[in-house]
Every structure is written in C-alpha cells, then in structure tokens.
Amino acid sequence: MPTLISWPSRRTILKPLPRLERLYEGGVPEGAPFVGRSPSMEPGLVTLVPPGTGGVRDYADIMNRHIPGRILAPQPDTPLTDFGFGHVVLNFSGYGYHARGIPNWLVERLTQLRANGTQLGIYFHELFASGPPWSSAFWLRPVQRRIAIDLANLASYWLTNCNMAAQWLRQHGAAVPHRVLPVYSNVGELPMRPTPRADKIVVFGGPANRAQVYRRLDAGFWRWVLEEGLAVHDIGPPICTAEYDRLRESQRIHAHGSLPAEQVSQRLSEARFGLLCYPPQVVAKSGVFAAYSAHGVCPILFADDYQVHDGLKPDHHYAAGYTSLTEGRLSAEAIGGAAFDWYQPHRIDAHAQAFRDLMRASA
C-alpha cells in the first residue's frame, strides 16, 4: 500500500533552488541546451489540458508528438481512474478548468493522485489573474493564488514560461526540480530566418488581444503605413466591434479570419512586422510573440512601460511602439534577427528535452 503523502496548505521557509533558469542578455538559458531525441512513449503518461481549444491545448498537442501519451481534458465528474496512476503532466491555466479560475476540484483530484504515488509535473502557463477593483479577477485573486500555491506544493517538478512566474513559484512552492522556458510557437518554427521580407504587417492572435492592438493604432501609425506602402494583414477570428468593422470596410486591413497553422506560418515568414499589445514582463508567455520570433518577424510591442525581462531588451528584440521605426532610428531587419536568435534556445525540442530531464530527476 502506498505511503500517504501529506501536503502542507501553507509554505513557510524556503531555501533558494539552484535550478532556476535565468536568461542571459542574449536570451540563452543558463546551462547547456539539450539535444533532442526521437519520440518515445512515456509509460503511463497522461497529459491534462483544459476542455476546448486554445493556446494551452495547442501547446500540449505539439508536446504530445514529441513525448507521446494520453491526453485528457478532465471535468469535475471525471473518474479518478481516468487520470491514471503513473505519470501526470498538468497544463495549468486556471480559467481553462473553471469559469472563474478557481478549479478547487482539480486540486482535490491531484492531491488524491499524489497520495497514491503518482508523479506530477506541471507547466504553469498562468498563475492567477489580476485586475482593477471593479473586476471579478480582483476579488477572486486570493482564491486563485491559493490554488496556485497548492499546485506548486503538489508538483514533483514544474516548468513555467517567464522569470516573474518562476520567482513566485520558488517562493511559494515545494523545492523540486524546475525549468524556465519561454513558450514556443504553436504555428511552426523555421530552421533559418527567411529574407528578404515583404512590406506586410501581421496582426495575429485571439479577438481580445487583437482588439487591444487596434485601439493603440493612431493616425500617425496609419500615415506611416500609407507612406511606406505597407499592408496590414489580420489573422484570427473576427472581432465584434464597430471599430474593427470600419477597418475592414475601409480596406485598411486585409482580414483573413482563422487560418491553419501552416498558412499562418507561411504569412509570418513573409511579413516584416508583427503587432502585439502585451506587458513586457510576461511577454515570454505569449504564443503570439513566440510565433513572431520563431519566424524572424520584427515584433512591435505596445505597452505602458518597457524594461528588460527574460532576456528581451526593448528596441533590440522588439520595437517599443512604432515611433522609432517611423523615425528611422531602428532597423526592422536587425530586430527581427535578434528576436529569431532569442527564440532558438527554447524551441519545441528544448521543451521536450526539459520534460524528459525533469521526469528523470524527480522519479
């Protein structure tokens, strides 16, 4: 009979962990990169994903091609036996498992599995939400935070995508092996950066993220587009706003709708610029930024503040807004090349090798 494991509900004193992956200035993680191996079935591996589609599910599907196993999208009524009792990998983003981001049922199930001796790995795509006092995220944050702490203490090992999340997990979670790897592109990666690039700007991603981008585009941006002969290509589900409809009707943007990954990859490999509105301190978790970088696009990032995070330097790995580009103070070619180089140490095969190494280290 397996030994019952007791998991404390609150973390007290933590010793620093030596395995935290910090990114150097050029974007290379500490420690030599691992060489990928051919895929092999991990015995008893079950990968947990949120129900439905999205970036987290895409991440898990791609990883499952490199480390094959069974993918399960659990619900609160999913029998415990469906989770398996060998090795479970959880792709965690709270809102994927509960409408308000508080999947207490998931913590209960994983606690039972750990008590039965199951090895549990967690990729923390998200920790918890934040927002202004009038938002539900503000009031639910303490509960979401408690769930993230509980999961961090249940993990046999964990991975996450940015140093801000890693520092928090080191402070509140169990002292277990871990890695920090910015998320990879879900729409393909290129072995070499293609040149030359066409006079195209891509706005790619989900409706909410793209809508934020369009709200940032002022008259100066559209004047630059006209003067330089640029074309804005919109890729993703339609945005239900009057502003978006006006952009389409005026033919300021070429709306392509949702496209297969192969077609997205093709358009990104041709484009010169890619637009994104995202906080720099967590942009390493953005699948859109990863897609731009993996294809050597010059990312134009819209944010309220720009600092160096996860090896990403403003106006070097991305343009901090579009103004410096219009004034000729930045080279889109140089930025696209720097973003492409930053991406290389955390390609898909690096993630797969990290999972293999952590599985062995925590066995």
Side-chain angles (χ1 to χ4, degrees), residues 25-48:
E25 193 172 286
V28 182
E30 287 184 0
F34 295 98
V35 178
R37 303 178 195 165
S38 59
S40 59
M41 178 70 76
E42 178 69 20
L45 176 64
V46 177
T47 298
L48 305 182

Side-chain angles (χ1 to χ4, degrees), residues 191-205:
M192 297 179 62
R193 181 175 181 267
T195 56
R197 318 290 292 203
D199 292 328
K200 296 179 180 179
I201 300 175
V202 169
V203 184
F204 170 57

